[in-house]
Amino acid sequence: MTNLTELGVAQIRDGVAAGDFTAREVAEAFNANVAAAEALNTFIVTTPEKALEAADAVDAARAKGETLGAMAGVPIGMKDLFATEGVQTTAASHILEGFTPHYESTVSANLWRAGAGMLGKLNLDQFAMGSSNETSYFGEVKSPWRKEGSNTALTPGGSSGGSASAVAARLCPAATGTDTGGSIRQPAAITGTTGIKPTYGRCSRWGVVAFASSLDQAGPMTRSVTDCAIMLEAMAGFDPKDATSLDLPVPEWEKGLNPDLSGKKVGIPREYRMDGTPQDILDSWERGKEWLRDAGAEIVDVSLPHTTYALPAYYIIAPAEASSNLARYDGVRYGLRDLPDGAGLQDMYAATREEGFGDEVKRRILIGTYVLSAGFYDAYYNQAQKIRTLVARDFEQAWADCDLILAPTTPNAAFGLGEMQADPLAMYLNDVFAVPASLAGLPAMSVPGGLNSDGLPLGLQLVGKQFDEQSVLNAGLAIEQRNGFTAKPENWWA
């Protein structure tokens, strides 16, 4: 029999529908891989019974001749930021350890209706704050990749590092991620996987633990562009419970896939050519341009003049929103409660947050509270919002000259766990290429761009116009077909 864990979403869906194998056989194969990969620490909670239950339902529906859903028979990993009814949801934080929701997030409910099953809840940076998956209360996630000739443990990126590591290691064919300032695209890039952040509002935020509400957006992480298109169709859709949800029909992205880019113009932003960018990253970018030219696209230079200010603005806006969102974790209604003897209410708040929040979360709450304070609101937060408007305007003006933008996804390949922990600013720079599209709410995707000289994956980022995920997916497919990326990590963890 085919090695089922090497199959992607489309292959599993089609194979189950054709009777080549059963959904239960697929679920059992992935459950076994998950059980053998504890060394990666990708999962906070595993739910093999949930995967089997969904698989049996799909097999029963097929036996009755019923129409199967778009994700029928596909077991997935669920980032532990999505509320899952009856299954612990922690946001990788001690303050939510043991919290079991009595409701289901809209995105996960959409996936279950489409026939997907859940292998477990995936590890992440605590409250999605981080770029290396080292801030989780439940321990750091390890990338399945290694530098050639080295056994140094590498980061899988963040905050969706558990998702990226699990997909790259064949623990699941697909996983959910969330992207606030690059948290789908950056981990996808450095693990050799594919991930798309759709237009802000495409996927409901209801039931997703909030970080920065004006930026958070869910998306799929898979090993191919086609699989991303299938999964995004299942995840997306209008949700009246989310005030920012787009009241638009969900396009048929899979049917619309077309790698022919004739007539399309792809912009290369001058400002993304930054001093100190490794030559491997620049070479990958050049290859990306050639692949898109070969697909029929015209490559043009464009300018995004406020790019320099995007990252500083992001690290004011996102912590400001986080400091407001995380105020709800007070030890009163759910999650951790630390009540010292003789303590009053304020003492309980302080003790609970001191014990429950990690250092990075505390850092961002402090930054956010500072920039929102009476004396600094205009000097910092209002200025950052003005810059955000200018960044979005840069893209609008660039669209007069191009249909898409091509850039590197990250300024580096995977780095060693612990290498950047002493310097938060260096860690924040991992998002330098990803943040502008997030501030503008645009669809953006990372696809594999090859390996660097150390044998580690690099990613290429495609950014499209608002609501135009189709063009982003099509350009990603053109790169995927010409790149022919088949590299995979050697299994050292089982």
Side-chain angles (χ1 to χ4, degrees):
M1 181 184 285
T2 303
N3 184 351
L4 297 176
T5 58
E6 289 294 330
L7 302 181
V9 173
Q11 294 165 311
I12 292 171
R13 176 198 65 186
D14 295 345
V16 168
D20 296 338
F21 40 79
T22 65
R24 173 168 269 269
E25 288 172 333
V26 174
E28 288 173 340
F30 279 103
N31 278 339
N33 273 16
V34 170
E38 289 185 7
L40 296 176
N41 198 33
T42 53
F43 284 86
I44 294 174
V45 172
T46 58
T47 56
E49 73 288 348
K50 294 277 186 184
L52 293 174
E53 180 183 330
D56 289 343
V58 168
D59 289 336
R62 182 184 178 277
K64 294 176 185 175
E66 296 175 3
T67 302
L68 301 182
M71 296 282 292
V74 181
I76 64 170
M78 183 65 60
K79 184 176 181 179
D80 197 24
L81 211 61
F82 294 83
T84 44
E85 185 176 4
V87 179
Q88 177 180 265
T89 299
T90 67
S93 179
H94 183 35
I95 208 163
L96 277 175
E97 187 177 12
F99 171 60
T100 303
H102 297 290
Y103 56 91
E104 192 79 33
S105 78
T106 298
V107 163
S108 56
N110 288 346
L111 288 164
W112 309 150
R113 277 195 296 272
M118 184 168 69
L119 292 161
K121 304 295 292 290
L122 289 159
N123 209 341
L124 64 145
D125 279 299
Q126 189 169 157
F127 282 104
M129 299 180 192
S131 301
S132 63
N133 224 137
E134 293 174 278
T135 70
S136 170
Y137 174 73
F138 300 96
E140 62 196 17
V141 175
K142 294 180 176 65
S143 172
W145 290 87
R146 290 285 187 263
K147 283 184 182 180
E148 290 181 357
S150 172
N151 288 322
T152 300
L154 301 177
T155 175
S159 64
S160 305
S163 301
S165 181
V167 172
R170 278 58 177 176
L171 309 189
C172 53
T176 57
T178 60
D179 194 307
T180 305
S183 288
I184 287 174
R185 292 162 286 157
Q186 184 253 11
I190 64 177
T191 57
T193 55
T194 302
I196 184 169
K197 178 196 83 71
T199 303
Y200 180 77
R202 275 286 188 201
C203 295
S204 172
R205 291 185 298 107
W206 194 85
V208 182
V209 178
F211 166 14
S213 301
S214 74
L215 294 159
D216 297 344
Q217 187 55 204
M221 302 181 74
T222 69
R223 293 198 305 274
S224 76
V225 173
T226 298
D227 289 354
C228 269
I230 294 167
M231 189 168 174
L232 183 57
E233 272 187 55
M235 294 171 68
F238 174 63
D239 180 8
K241 298 191 293 294
D242 176 4
T244 61
S245 178
L246 292 171
D247 192 0
L248 295 171
V250 177
E252 294 183 327
W253 288 304
E254 184 188 7
K255 287 184 179 178
L257 287 173
N258 182 358
D260 183 358
L261 303 184
S262 299
K264 295 285 187 182
K265 291 184 178 181
V266 177
I268 307 299
R270 300 183 193 100
E271 292 77 11
Y272 283 40
R273 299 186 183 101
M274 298 180 178
D275 292 341
T277 302
Q279 190 60 44
D280 286 334
I281 300 283
L282 297 176
D283 291 345
S284 172
W285 198 4
E286 288 301 316
R287 288 194 299 271
K289 295 177 196 177
E290 289 306 313
W291 290 328
L292 293 178
R293 278 197 193 96
D294 186 65
E298 179 185 350
I299 306 299
V300 298
D301 278 345
V302 296
S303 179
L304 300 172
H306 295 94
T307 295
T308 304
Y309 308 107
L311 194 67
Y314 171 84
Y315 277 103
I316 290 172
I317 294 168
E321 295 186 18
S323 74
S324 176
N325 279 325
L326 271 62
R328 71 191 70 181
Y329 304 110
D330 52 15
V332 175
R333 288 162 290 183
Y334 42 74
L336 178 72
R337 175 183 296 176
D338 188 342
L339 185 59
D341 291 340
L345 186 63
Q346 292 298 328
D347 296 323
M348 185 191 75
Y349 288 166
T352 297
R353 290 166 176 163
E354 168 61 28
E355 183 182 346
F357 289 140
D359 289 344
E360 181 62 28
V361 175
K362 292 174 186 173
R363 180 183 294 117
R364 298 199 194 193
I365 290 173
L366 288 170
I367 292 170
T369 304
Y370 179 80
V371 301
L372 290 176
S373 60
F376 301 99
Y377 186 92
D378 287 332
Y380 291 102
Y381 185 73
N382 270 351
Q383 291 299 104
Q385 291 288 18
K386 290 174 184 176
I387 290 170
R388 183 178 190 174
T389 299
L390 292 173
V391 169
R393 189 179 301 166
D394 287 349
F395 281 104
E396 287 299 320
Q397 292 172 348
W399 300 140
D401 301 314
C402 66
D403 303 291
L404 293 157
I405 283 170
L406 174 72
T409 309
T410 63
N412 47 257
F415 48 91
L417 290 169
E419 279 184 21
M420 293 194 183
Q421 280 298 295
D423 188 354
L425 294 180
M427 186 75 78
Y428 295 166
L429 285 171
N430 275 276
D431 300 327
V432 66
F433 295 134
V435 156
S438 293
L439 289 175
L442 300 174
M445 181 177 207
S446 181
V447 294
L451 301 177
N452 72 357
S453 55
D454 290 319
L456 297 177
L458 303 173
L460 289 168
Q461 180 181 205
L462 293 152
V463 182
K465 299 175 184 177
Q466 198 172 36
F467 315 128
D468 192 14
E469 287 85 1
Q470 191 68 67
S471 291
V472 174
L473 290 161
N474 288 348
L477 183 62
I479 289 175
E480 180 180 271
Q481 290 182 351
R482 284 155 182 80
N483 182 9
F485 185 84
T486 58
K488 56 185 270 192
E490 292 186 14
N491 187 338
W492 54 265
W493 57 88

